């Protein structure tokens, strides 16, 4: 097989890149190690930045998002006895949209498949060969067990944190900055109307809790748990009790309902740079991971491929390499900004483990920060700019 851009991974970054390239008449082939059903069912992020909504709309996958997505003009921050709202529109003139990553993925797969996109589902042993030459290849074993090779002009590594792309770049040319947090998120999807109009991020001595949503019938909620905790330790009753205690407020009740999905996700900040090696370009989780507080992972993936799509189009159609040469530096500017914001939100909202000798001090710093960010117009604007993505242009 031969193509202009070989794409490893059909998560949001790989699919959106294929769509952006196709709009400009550029061919691609996607190699994905899971099945279409698995990829479409994977429950993950749900908050889409203003600029990311614009990108999806321009890419021709905004119709359902605009119909079914929920525009949120603000967010609630809470600690015991207080729930305060930050108004994004007042603070920075932008909003966010609540629309599940599963839905974005389905929308992208539908449009790519109806357009004739080659996607090799359930591939195994994916490898990128000759990335530092003019003739890179993706090799894999297809769903029928047959070895395959895709000859490419360029390769996009969009295969997430555990994929094959990043390890292809020699350690000698790669640097990694990371932080592993001493907590994790237990997330549930529940069949119950949200008990709030906008998201609630709640600090509590027992640990952080969050209330998000997917529609007027489905809620998404999270609890801070220990990183080594097991989902088997958490019955539905225990989860709802924890959520109710941590988000309690006089005059407000959390409605519970049947859980549709539950899982525990570890939390880390991780950035591998540069995001390019020869003709291999990394995008999304393949290159960086943020803790989920602040909802930046999916948005960064969208921002990366917006830049990468434009850069590859310029190189392929005009023979100009300026944008592919600056891709890594351009993308990393937003990556570091979102990494900082996610680290800051995580540090402000998660209760330190009680064994931490500084726990009492850190808790007081967190409450002081929450009070400040919800009472100072300038501080609230900083949060709003980062949360909505207004802080940097797409
Ligand atoms: P991915 O979505 O990881 O897609 C990569 C694709 O590559 C996958 O389809 C994978 O199957 C495929 N792949 C992997 N290895 C190979 C291989 N060797 N060969 C071929 N294909 C391969 N972000 C938030 O903002 N909020 C959240 O609540 C949130 N929750 C999350 C929960 C979990 C469990 C995880 C893992 C992430 C979560 N994120 C969240 C982050 C967000 O979902 C990611 O940032 C986003 O999915 C990144 O998209 P991506 O396309 O770069 O990577
Ligand atoms: C959701 C996830 C997040 O990480 C976040 O900060 C807000 C909302 C969600 O899944 O809806």
């Amino acid at each position: 097989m031969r193509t202009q851009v070989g794409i490893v991974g059909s998560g949001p970054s790989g699919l959106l890149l294929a769509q952006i390239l196709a709009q400009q008449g550029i061919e691609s082939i996607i190699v994905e190690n899971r099945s279409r059903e698995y990829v479409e069912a994977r429950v993950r992020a749900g908050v889409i930045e203003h600029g990311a909504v614009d990108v999806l709309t321009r890419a021709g996958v905004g119709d359902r998002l605009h119909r079914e997505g929920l525009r949120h003009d603000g967010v609630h921050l809470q600690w015991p006895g207080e729930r305060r709202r930050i108004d994004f529109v007042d603070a920075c003139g932008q909003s966010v949209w609540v629309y599940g990553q599963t839905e974005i993925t389905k929308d992208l797969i539908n449009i790519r498949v109806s357009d004739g996109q080659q996607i090799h589902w359930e591939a195994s042993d994916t490898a990128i060969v000759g990335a530092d030459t003019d003739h890179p290849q993706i090799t894999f074993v297809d769903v029928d067990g047959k070895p395959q090779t895709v000859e490419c002009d360029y390769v996009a590594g969009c295969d997430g944190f555990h994929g094959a792309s990043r390890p292809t770049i020699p350690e000698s040319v790669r640097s990694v900055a990371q932080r592993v947090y001493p907590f994790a998120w237990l997330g549930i999807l529940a069949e119950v109307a949200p008990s709030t109009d906008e998201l609630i991020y709640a600090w509590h001595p027992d640990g952080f809790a969050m209330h998000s949503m997917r529609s007027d019938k489905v809620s998404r909620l999270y609890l801070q748990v220990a990183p080594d905790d097991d989902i088997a330790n958490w019955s539905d009753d225990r989860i709802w009790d924890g959520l109710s205690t941590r988000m309690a407020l006089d005059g407000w009740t959390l409605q519970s309902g049947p859980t549709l999905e539950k899982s525990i996700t570890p939390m880390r900040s991780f950035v591998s740079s540069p995001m390019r090696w020869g003709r291999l370009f990394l995008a999304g989780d393949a290159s960086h991971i943020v803790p989920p507080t602040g909802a930046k992972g999916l948005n960064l993936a969208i921002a990366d491929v917006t830049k990468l799509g434009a850069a590859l189009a310029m190189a392929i159609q005009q023979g100009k390499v300026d944008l592919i040469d600056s891709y890594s530096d351009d993308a990393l500017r937003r990556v570091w900004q979102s990494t900082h914001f996610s680290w800051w939100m995580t540090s402000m909202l998660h209760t330190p483990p009680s064994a931490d000798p500084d726990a009492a001090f850190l808790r007081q710093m967190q409450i002081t920060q929450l009070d400040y960010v919800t009472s100072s117009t300038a501080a609230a604007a900083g949060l709003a700019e980062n949360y909505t993505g207004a802080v940097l242009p797409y």
Side-chain angles (χ1 to χ4, degrees):
M1 288 178 273
R2 195 198 131 85
T3 192
Q4 290 173 297
V5 181
I7 299 176
V8 188
S10 74
S13 50
L15 289 163
L16 180 59
L17 179 63
Q19 175 65 9
I20 290 172
L21 293 172
Q23 279 185 315
Q24 305 189 64
I26 297 170
E27 266 179 28
S28 65
I29 291 179
I30 302 180
V31 178
E32 162 63 48
N33 67 354
R34 300 286 194 164
S35 68
R36 176 173 176 174
E37 295 68 36
Y38 182 94
V39 169
E40 287 186 344
R42 202 163 33 194
V43 179
R44 287 182 172 180
V47 174
I48 319 296
E49 293 173 352
H50 197 112
V53 171
D54 290 346
V55 168
L56 293 168
T57 307
R58 282 201 302 275
V61 281
D63 289 356
R64 202 157 67 91
L65 192 165
H66 286 287
R67 246 187 356 261
E68 297 175 18
L70 311 166
R71 198 186 83 207
H72 283 201
D73 293 340
V75 71
H76 301 286
L77 295 186
Q78 167 169 343
W79 60 101
E82 294 281 348
R83 181 176 295 171
R84 296 196 196 156
R85 178 170 187 266
I86 292 181
D87 190 306
F88 298 147
V89 181
D90 277 359
C92 72
Q94 295 202 359
S95 306
V96 294
W97 272 254
V98 174
Y99 187 66
Q101 180 170 332
T102 41
E103 306 315 301
I104 293 181
T105 305
K106 283 183 218 158
D107 295 344
L108 282 164
I109 291 176
N110 283 340
I111 199 162
R112 290 315 314 131
V113 168
S114 66
D115 203 23
Q117 174 80 44
Q118 269 196 62
I119 307 181
H120 294 273
W121 303 105
E122 297 181 71
S124 50
D125 296 337
T126 318
I128 296 142
V129 183
D132 57 340
T133 72
D134 287 344
H135 305 286
Q137 299 174 334
I138 302 173
T139 61
F140 64 99
V141 175
D142 72 16
V143 64
D144 301 316
K146 275 179 44 191
Q148 301 285 358
T149 299
V150 188
E151 314 267 353
C152 316
D153 293 334
Y154 296 97
V155 175
C158 300
D159 48 354
F161 188 62
H162 301 286
S165 301
R166 190 180 63 256
T168 304
I169 305 180
E171 301 235 336
S172 57
V173 298
R174 216 154 55 79
S175 74
V176 166
Q178 73 170 320
R179 180 182 181 94
V180 176
Y181 297 88
F183 24 75
W185 271 20
L186 185 163
I188 62 166
L189 197 64
E191 208 172 353
V192 59
S195 304
T196 176
D197 53 345
E198 291 173 335
L199 271 56
I200 303 168
Y201 287 79
W203 183 98
H204 189 275
D206 292 355
F208 169 74
M210 198 191 56
H211 193 328
S212 181
M213 61 199 71
R214 287 293 176 271
S215 68
D216 58 3
K217 297 189 183 61
V218 176
S219 299
R220 176 89 168 134
L221 299 112
Y222 297 97
L223 275 178
Q224 174 186 345
V225 297
D228 56 354
D229 210 336
D230 187 336
I231 195 72
N233 296 330
W234 288 86
S235 66
D236 286 6
D237 284 349
R238 184 175 174 213
I239 294 172
W240 286 111
D241 282 351
L243 290 165
S244 299
T245 304
R246 298 183 195 188
M247 283 192 282
L249 192 73
D250 277 353
W252 181 82
T253 312
L254 177 67
Q255 301 299 332
S256 60
T259 58
L260 304 168
E261 199 258 357
K262 55 179 176 178
S263 59
I264 292 181
T265 309
M267 289 166 73
R268 74 163 86 204
S269 299
F270 175 98
V271 180
S272 171
S273 55
M275 293 170 67
R276 173 198 185 171
W277 184 55
R279 286 182 174 246
L280 168 64
F281 296 82
L282 302 183
D285 279 17
S287 189
H288 41 76
I289 297 277
V290 287
T293 338
K296 289 291 162 234
L298 172 60
N299 291 295
L300 275 183
I302 294 173
D304 285 354
V305 295
T306 308
K307 291 190 172 64
L308 184 54
L312 289 172
M314 197 187 214
I316 289 168
Q317 293 177 327
Q318 300 174 41
K320 289 192 188 152
V321 293
D322 319 29
L323 287 184
I324 57 171
D325 284 349
S326 65
Y327 166 69
S328 179
D329 287 346
D330 291 349
L332 281 166
R333 183 147 185 247
R334 191 176 202 95
V335 169
W336 284 119
Q337 183 68 34
S338 295
T339 300
H340 179 273
F341 178 64
S342 308
W343 161 78
W344 176 75
M345 285 282 279
T346 301
S347 310
M348 176 170 69
L349 285 160
H350 291 75
T351 326
S354 48
D356 186 328
D358 297 335
F361 172 78
L362 291 172
R363 284 171 194 216
Q364 195 53 54
M365 292 300 96
Q366 293 176 316
I367 300 298
T368 303
Q369 178 74 77
L370 282 162
D371 188 16
Y372 174 56
V373 84
T374 53
S375 54
S376 150
T377 310
L383 187 146
E385 275 184 354
N386 279 282
Y387 198 90
T388 59
V391 64
L392 286 172
Y394 259 74

